[in-house]
């Protein structure tokens, strides 16, 4: 085993755990240590492992709360937009000269010319690939007819090594971002596959369709795109009426 302390925390903790087990099964005097040295090292390992686990839970909780906040704001904006539309409908039923009175009673300005923004299109060309330290970067493109003002909701689905597709998680929210890219810096270990999908939403709360998902396979299996029931086949299948996306580079977590 290399004597270097790995920069990756997970690998370093694993290495320390292997050493503790080995040292406790042998006479530490044979390699210049004492039983007290080994016990103290084991206590530090337990403390570091617990601290890392607590930090991960805190980060995930903070991220979940952030996502819920953005979702709640998006829902509120959507309801606001629907109420404005209801007031507009009431005003349109009045003669043109009396419509201003409806808006004055509601305490809002009349609508600007140009009409409401359309529902966002579906993101396209979704790709995901392994980057530094096991992170996965998700990128995509968006055609929005130059209207702008979009946010993007990112979701993830996990397929464990044990149990395969039959034990896949539900689609879970990861974040809501303003850029057409996202980096998943908390990818769990022990996965067979991780899938990502994205949809666009306006500040008004209007949400478009979910994109075709993109999956990263770990080990020797290839990345795939689409909604096929993948069970280890090395293949790529497209969504109905959509072209298949480029394969992402397979990697070992």
């Amino acid at each position: 085993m290399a004597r270097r302390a790995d920069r990756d925390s997970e690998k370093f903790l694993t290495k320390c755990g292997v050493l503790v087990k080995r040292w406790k099964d042998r006479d530490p005097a044979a390699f210049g240590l004492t039983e007290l040295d080994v016990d103290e090292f084991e206590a530090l390992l337990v403390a570091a492992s617990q601290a890392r686990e607590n930090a991960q839970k805190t980060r995930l909780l903070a991220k979940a709360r952030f996502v819920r906040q953005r979702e709640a704001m998006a829902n509120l904006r959507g309801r606001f937009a629907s109420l404005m539309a209801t007031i507009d409908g009431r005003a349109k039923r009045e003669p043109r000269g009396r419509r201003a009175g409806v808006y004055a009673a509601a305490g809002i300005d009349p609508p600007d010319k140009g009409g409401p923004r359309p529902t966002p299109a579906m993101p396209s060309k979704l790709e995901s690939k392994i980057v530094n330290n096991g992170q996965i970067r998700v990128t995509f493109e968006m055609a929005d007819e130059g209207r702008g003002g979009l946010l993007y909701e990112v979701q993830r689905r996990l397929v464990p090594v044990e149990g395969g597709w039959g034990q896949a998680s539900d689609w879970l929210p990861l974040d809501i971002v303003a850029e057409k890219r996202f980096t998943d810096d908390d990818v769990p270990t022990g996965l067979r596959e991780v899938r990502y999908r994205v949809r666009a939403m306006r500040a008004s709360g209007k949400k478009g369709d979910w994109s075709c998902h993109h999956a990263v396979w770990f080990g020797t299996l290839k990345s795939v795109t689409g909604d096929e029931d993948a069970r280890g086949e090395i293949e790529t299948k497209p969504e109905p009426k959509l072209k298949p996306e480029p394969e992402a580079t397979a990697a070992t977590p």
Side-chain angles (χ1 to χ4, degrees), residues 49-231:
S49 300
Q50 187 62 54
R52 185 174 187 274
E53 181 179 349
N54 292 340
Q56 288 179 324
K57 289 180 179 179
T58 300
R59 183 169 69 252
L60 290 174
L61 181 60
K63 181 180 289 187
R65 287 174 175 170
F66 174 77
V67 171
R68 287 198 294 269
Q69 173 191 333
R70 298 294 292 270
E71 271 289 329
M73 290 300 299
N75 291 336
L76 177 61
R77 290 178 184 276
R79 182 56 177 161
F80 178 85
S82 69
L83 293 177
M84 295 302 102
T86 300
I87 295 173
D88 289 339
R90 175 66 176 81
K92 289 178 181 178
R93 293 195 294 271
E94 295 291 330
R96 187 174 299 273
R98 297 174 57 182
R99 292 177 182 176
V102 175
Y103 293 110
I108 60 174
D109 295 329
D112 296 329
K113 294 181 179 180
R117 292 183 174 183
T119 299
M122 182 179 70
S124 62
K125 297 185 178 180
L126 183 71
E127 295 183 2
S128 51
K129 62 180 181 180
I130 304 292
V131 291
N132 298 330
N133 299 321
Q135 299 172 329
I136 296 180
R137 181 170 298 159
V138 179
T139 60
F140 54 94
E141 295 184 6
M142 185 70 196
D144 192 40
E145 302 178 355
R147 301 302 296 268
L150 290 176
L151 297 172
Y152 304 101
E153 182 181 0
V154 184
Q155 289 191 347
R156 179 178 73 181
R157 194 173 200 178
L158 306 176
V159 181
V161 172
E162 299 296 331
W165 178 246
Q167 298 298 320
S169 71
D170 294 331
W171 284 104
L172 301 174
L174 274 182
D175 207 345
I176 298 176
V177 297
E179 303 295 331
K180 292 185 283 292
R181 61 181 180 273
F182 172 80
T183 300
D184 186 357
D185 58 3
D186 194 32
V187 183
T189 58
L191 294 180
R192 175 183 180 183
E193 173 191 352
V194 58
R195 299 183 174 195
Y196 298 90
R197 67 178 184 178
V198 181
R199 69 176 173 183
M201 64 173 68
R202 298 200 184 280
S204 64
K206 285 186 178 180
K207 299 179 180 180
D209 293 330
W210 287 108
S211 68
C212 172
H213 79 254
H214 199 271
V216 174
W217 288 82
F218 296 101
T220 59
L221 296 175
K222 293 183 178 180
S223 298
V224 297
T225 239
D227 268 338
E228 74 285 359
D229 185 9
R231 300 183 184 277

Side-chain angles (χ1 to χ4, degrees), residues 222-253:
K222 293 183 178 180
S223 298
V224 297
T225 239
D227 268 338
E228 74 285 359
D229 185 9
R231 300 183 184 277
E233 300 87 349
I234 303 177
E235 60 180 347
T236 299
K237 294 182 180 180
E239 290 278 353
K241 300 182 181 180
L242 290 176
K243 295 180 180 180
E245 301 295 337
E247 295 180 351
T249 303
T252 300

